[in-house]
Each structure stands twice: as C-alpha cells, then as structure tokens.
Amino acid sequence: MVRFFVESGAVAGKALTLTGENAQHARVLRLREGEEALVCDGRGREWLCRVADASCWDLEVLEERASETEARVAVSVYMAFPKADKLEHVIQKATELGACEIVAFPSARCVSRPDEKGLGKKLDRWQKIAASAAQQSGRGRIPQVLTLPSFAAALERAAQADKALMFYEHEEALTLKAALSEGSYGTVSLLTGPEGGLEEKEVDQARAAGLQVCTLGKRILRCETAPLCALSAVMYDAGEF
Amino acid sequence: MVRFFVESGAVAGKALTLTGENAQHARVLRLREGEEALVCDGRGREWLCRVADASCWDLEVLEERASETEARVAVSVYMAFPKADKLEHVIQKATELGACEIVAFPSARCVSRPDEKGLGKKLDRWQKIAASAAQQSGRGRIPQVLTLPSFAAALERAAQADKALMFYEHEEALTLKAALSEGSYGTVSLLTGPEGGLEEKEVDQARAAGLQVCTLGKRILRCETAPLCALSAVMYDAGEF
C-alpha cells in the first residue's frame, strides 16, 4: 500500500489533505477515490486512510495505529565520513534494513570531511534520502541522519548502547556472533571506519570508551559494505527475519 | 598484503613473472624488491612470494598454500536481471561478502533482459568486476558469474543446494532463521526477484521445484539490497563472523 509521510500533527480528527510533494506523488501514482493509503508521521504512528476526493487529495481516516514495520531492536549506524556518494548509499540501504539512525563522524584517515558551511545543506539532502527510502521500504519511522564533530564524540555517544561494537579488519578473535551472544540487547551501535580503515590508536580509544572490537570475517569489506553487512547480521540475530 | 590473480598453471616451480595488468598494478603500487605479495590462481590455491627483481617483476615463491580467506559455506546468489548497473553492484558486493557464484536469470517482471548478442561482452565485464572485487577483498577464489536462459532453469539449478531459498515480500511465516536452523548445510542458494518483485505463480513454481520461500523481514527491500542482506545473514549464521 502506498505510504505518505506527513508532519507530526498534520492528522487531526478524521480527515486530512495531502499537500506539496505528497499530492504530487499521489497524482503520479494515479490514486483514485475509494483506494486506501497509509499516512505516517515518521515517528511510529500511522493512519490507514481512504481517498475521499482525488481532485484535492482529501483523505478520510479509517484507523489510527502504531506502525507494524519497525524493528524491535534500535540499531545506530556510525560511519566515518567516506568519499563521494558512499554515505548516501549507506543512508539509503541502512534505512531499508531498519536502522534507527545514521551517524557520520570524522576519523584519522578520512579523506572527505564536509566543512561546517556546506554541512547544513548536506544534512538536508541526507535526511531526504532517508525519508524517501523509509517511504519505499514501508517504514513507520524515518531514521535520523546526524553528524558529530569528532571521533571522540562518536565513541562517547556510541558507547551508550547495550551493545557498542566497532569493526576492525585486524581483529580476528571476537566475532560479531560472540559479541551479541552475551545477554539480551535492545540498542546496538555499529561503528565502522573510512576507506583507509581505522588506526590502531583509534581502536585503543574505542576499547577505552567501552566499545567491543569485532571482526566481520576474513575478507576485507569496503567501507560502504561493512556497516550494511553488520546491520543485516544484527537484524537477523535479533529475530527480524 | 597485495594480491595478484594469475592463470591457473602460471606458477611453475619456484619463480614466476608478473605480466600485463598485474605488472601494471605492481608498478602503480610501487612494489619494491624484497617486499612480499600473494599470488592466487583464483581457485583456492595461493603462493606467498617475494619480489626478486622489480624491473621485470620476477617473483620468488616462498610458500604454496590453500587460501585462508574463503568461506566454509558455498553460497550461490541467484538474482533476476535487474535494471541498469544494479547487477554490477550486486556482483561486487556479493564477491566481497564471500559468495561462490552469482547467477542472473530472467523472471516475469524483469524490465531488463540482455539479448543473446550482447551477453558475451557483458559476461566478460561482470567477470572482471568479480575478479577485481575478489582481489580487493583478499579472496582466494573468484566467484563465477553466469546467466541462465529461463526462470525454470534457475529454479532447477538453485534447488540442488542443501538450503535452496527464495525470498518473497508477501511471505510472512517462514523466517530465514527458521529455514537455516533445520539440519546443517554446506551449500546455499539465495534467489531474489527483480524490481517489480516475483509473481505468485513464480513462487508456486519455486515451491514445486523444492525451494523454501522465506521472508527477509517486515520492510520491503530493493532488488539490489535483498540478496546482499540475505548473504550477510547466511555468512553470519554459518559462523563466518
């Protein structure tokens, strides 16, 4: 069923009207009177609606409910700024795969670092990519995309999860499976490095901050593949599929 | 360590010479005399070598061994022909993630189907993408990329694995985890549809051919995301990381 994200508070009472991009999208889809659509606030509430008037996109609310497509586990993807459009790729895919937020941060070997000035525009663009992927994949929440000013800030924030994990290509002993197997978890942080990898010093810092350092196997994954591989495995482990 | 793939049979005795693209690559990397490099036949054998003469890329063989980076489970990725460059994306990522082969085939809702004439060139290109990704990710084998002429042929071939699984967005009951939990497995087929999804009729055909039909969770994954998510989860389940 087609899904529209609206501002929180846009649904009041038993009716609402699609406007702007949503109205345009409804037109493109040739939605007709009597057809059903889902309206979501992007924060986990949704309204099953029926098109009452397709000329002005008035919808009638049939039912309000909590979204049924969100993962039970809240996974935050922490990714060191990669080059070019790789962050956009990861935002789109991590949204489909059910991440609750995507956090980008600088690390020692980052080649690309957006400057303060251009960052606002970029964040807008990244948030739009997340919203679009959330809509297409049928999510009830739009993951937040945010950036942090330093590696230390990323560690501190990531460490607050029940399972705070960093992936490092030279770690061989601790598997992700072993890290996830001890005790239950409701929140997970997955931290991965940039193209050139993480420095040993950074791995030490992460351990000191309370993160567990894990392997993703014997093959070297690209910086845009590692977070999505880890996220898929965590969702699998948590019983999502 | 840098890794070169050579033709099977190129290593005879205690010495070999890098030629063509490998020599060019060695030059770009500024490999020096005395430095070590791995030479692989792309079929699971590798030779630890030392540069004996960097002017003509003569290497001295130090040790012959079986590759240590291959997965213990052989996973075949069966993907209905997607549009544009998505197949190339999946070939690259599935190679990193350890797939043993990538098999493309037509299905009812495929928008893109390479014609017989252009297929040879495309296969060459796809195989090169796999080789390059195998080299970068440090694999000992280059996965084979192949195409099949029909959906029925894909089902018949996929069904031969210990676990032959199809993913379908309208399946809710059988999780991948449940499908993998019964008995052990050494070979796995993962079959996914094109942009428009699989038809119900095709799902019935798959069941009749012996495939199990599974869900990848409550969110709708894009056709290029689904196989990589499933592959990551199988590698995780098989104890790879």
Side-chain angles (χ1 to χ4, degrees):
Chain A
M1 195 181 308
V2 58
R3 180 175 292 259
F4 299 98
F5 284 109
V6 297
E7 293 294 312
S8 208
V11 186
K14 283 287 171 198
L16 83 154
T17 303
L18 295 177
T19 57
E21 283 182 20
N22 282 333
Q24 210 174 333
H25 191 204
R27 205 156 30 238
V28 170
L29 294 170
R30 298 183 192 187
L31 216 59
R32 292 181 195 185
E33 273 162 37
E35 281 192 274
E36 294 187 347
L38 269 179
V39 171
C40 313
D41 68 356
R43 299 173 174 203
R45 298 296 305 165
E46 60 188 32
W47 294 267
L48 179 65
C49 296
R50 184 162 50 203
V51 180
D53 186 341
S55 66
C56 57
W57 303 114
D58 279 345
L59 309 189
E60 173 197 0
V61 175
L62 303 177
E63 184 194 339
E64 178 178 352
R65 62 194 191 197
S67 168
E68 292 158 359
T69 55
E70 286 301 301
R72 288 174 295 267
V73 58
V75 185
S76 302
V77 171
Y78 286 80
M79 185 182 196
F81 283 117
K83 278 195 250 179
D85 55 355
K86 288 179 195 166
L87 184 56
E88 300 187 0
H89 171 83
V90 169
I91 290 168
Q92 184 190 74
K93 300 305 177 204
T95 300
E96 287 175 59
L97 293 166
C100 75
E101 57 181 10
I102 296 102
V103 187
F105 60 88
S107 79
R109 293 190 193 148
C110 282
V111 178
S112 159
R113 268 170 227 234
D115 53 7
E116 202 61 45
K117 230 177 58 189
L119 195 57
K121 260 194 180 168
K122 281 198 170 144
L123 271 170
D124 278 354
R125 180 170 161 69
W126 293 335
Q127 197 59 56
K128 270 189 189 153
I129 291 170
S132 165
Q135 186 170 31
Q136 282 210 21
S137 58
R139 290 195 53 172
R141 282 180 195 273
I142 302 171
Q144 213 198 332
V145 182
L146 60 156
T147 61
L148 293 174
S150 69
F151 184 69
L155 291 183
E156 195 188 327
R157 194 170 185 283
Q160 288 162 24
D162 297 341
K163 298 281 179 187
L165 311 173
M166 167 185 268
F167 299 97
Y168 183 47
E169 62 190 81
H170 299 300
E171 170 63 32
E172 291 179 2
L174 184 65
T175 61
L176 173 59
K177 194 175 261 180
L180 293 177
S181 67
E182 283 168 39
S184 64
Y185 56 89
T187 55
V188 181
S189 301
L190 304 173
L191 194 148
T192 53
E195 283 83 358
L198 294 159
E199 293 194 344
E200 215 178 313
K201 200 181 63 187
E202 292 176 316
V203 177
D204 294 339
Q205 273 177 272
R207 284 190 217 272
L211 279 79
Q212 286 186 284
V213 180
C214 306
T215 175
L216 282 174
K218 292 164 287 185
R219 290 163 295 279
I220 309 293
L221 301 181
R222 284 174 190 244
C223 71
E224 74 274 23
T225 312
L228 303 174
C229 171
L231 176 57
S232 300
V234 169
M235 289 295 176
Y236 175 78
D237 189 86
E240 285 290 311
F241 60 88
Chain B
M1 193 182 309
V2 58
R3 178 175 292 260
F4 299 98
F5 284 109
V6 296
E7 293 293 313
S8 209
V11 186
K14 282 289 171 199
L16 83 154
T17 303
L18 295 178
T19 57
E21 283 181 20
N22 282 332
Q24 209 174 335
H25 191 203
R27 205 156 31 238
V28 170
L29 294 170
R30 298 181 190 188
L31 216 60
R32 293 181 193 185
E33 273 161 35
E35 282 192 273
E36 295 187 347
L38 269 180
V39 172
C40 314
D41 68 356
R43 299 172 174 204
R45 298 297 303 166
E46 60 188 33
W47 294 266
L48 179 65
C49 298
R50 185 162 48 202
V51 180
D53 186 340
S55 67
C56 57
W57 303 114
D58 279 344
L59 308 189
E60 171 196 3
V61 175
L62 302 177
E63 183 194 340
E64 178 178 350
R65 63 194 190 195
S67 168
E68 292 157 359
T69 55
E70 286 300 301
R72 288 174 295 267
V73 58
V75 185
S76 302
V77 171
Y78 286 80
M79 186 182 195
F81 284 118
K83 279 194 250 180
D85 55 354
K86 288 179 195 165
L87 183 56
E88 300 187 0
H89 171 83
V90 170
I91 290 168
Q92 184 191 73
K93 299 306 176 203
T95 299
E96 287 175 60
L97 293 167
C100 74
E101 57 181 10
I102 297 102
V103 186
F105 59 88
S107 78
R109 293 189 192 149
C110 282
V111 178
S112 160
R113 269 170 225 234
D115 54 7
E116 203 61 44
K117 229 176 58 189
L119 195 58
K121 258 193 181 169
K122 281 198 170 144
L123 272 169
D124 278 353
R125 178 168 164 70
W126 293 334
Q127 197 60 55
K128 269 187 192 155
I129 291 170
S132 165
Q135 185 170 30
Q136 283 210 21
S137 59
R139 289 195 54 172
R141 283 179 194 273
I142 302 171
Q144 212 199 331
V145 182
L146 60 157
T147 61
L148 293 174
S150 69
F151 184 69
L155 292 184
E156 194 188 327
R157 194 171 185 281
Q160 289 162 25
D162 297 341
K163 298 280 178 188
L165 310 173
M166 166 186 267
F167 298 97
Y168 182 47
E169 61 189 82
H170 298 300
E171 170 63 31
E172 291 180 1
L174 184 64
T175 61
L176 174 60
K177 193 175 260 179
L180 293 177
S181 67
E182 284 168 39
S184 64
Y185 57 89
T187 55
V188 181
S189 301
L190 304 173
L191 193 148
T192 53
E195 284 83 358
L198 294 159
E199 293 193 345
E200 216 179 308
K201 198 182 64 186
E202 292 175 317
V203 177
D204 294 340
Q205 273 178 271
R207 284 191 217 270
L211 278 79
Q212 285 186 286
V213 179
C214 306
T215 175
L216 281 174
K218 291 165 287 184
R219 290 162 295 279
I220 309 293
L221 301 181
R222 284 174 190 246
C223 71
E224 74 274 22
T225 312
L228 304 174
C229 171
L231 176 57
S232 299
V234 169
M235 289 295 175
Y236 175 78
D237 189 87
E240 285 291 311
F241 60 89

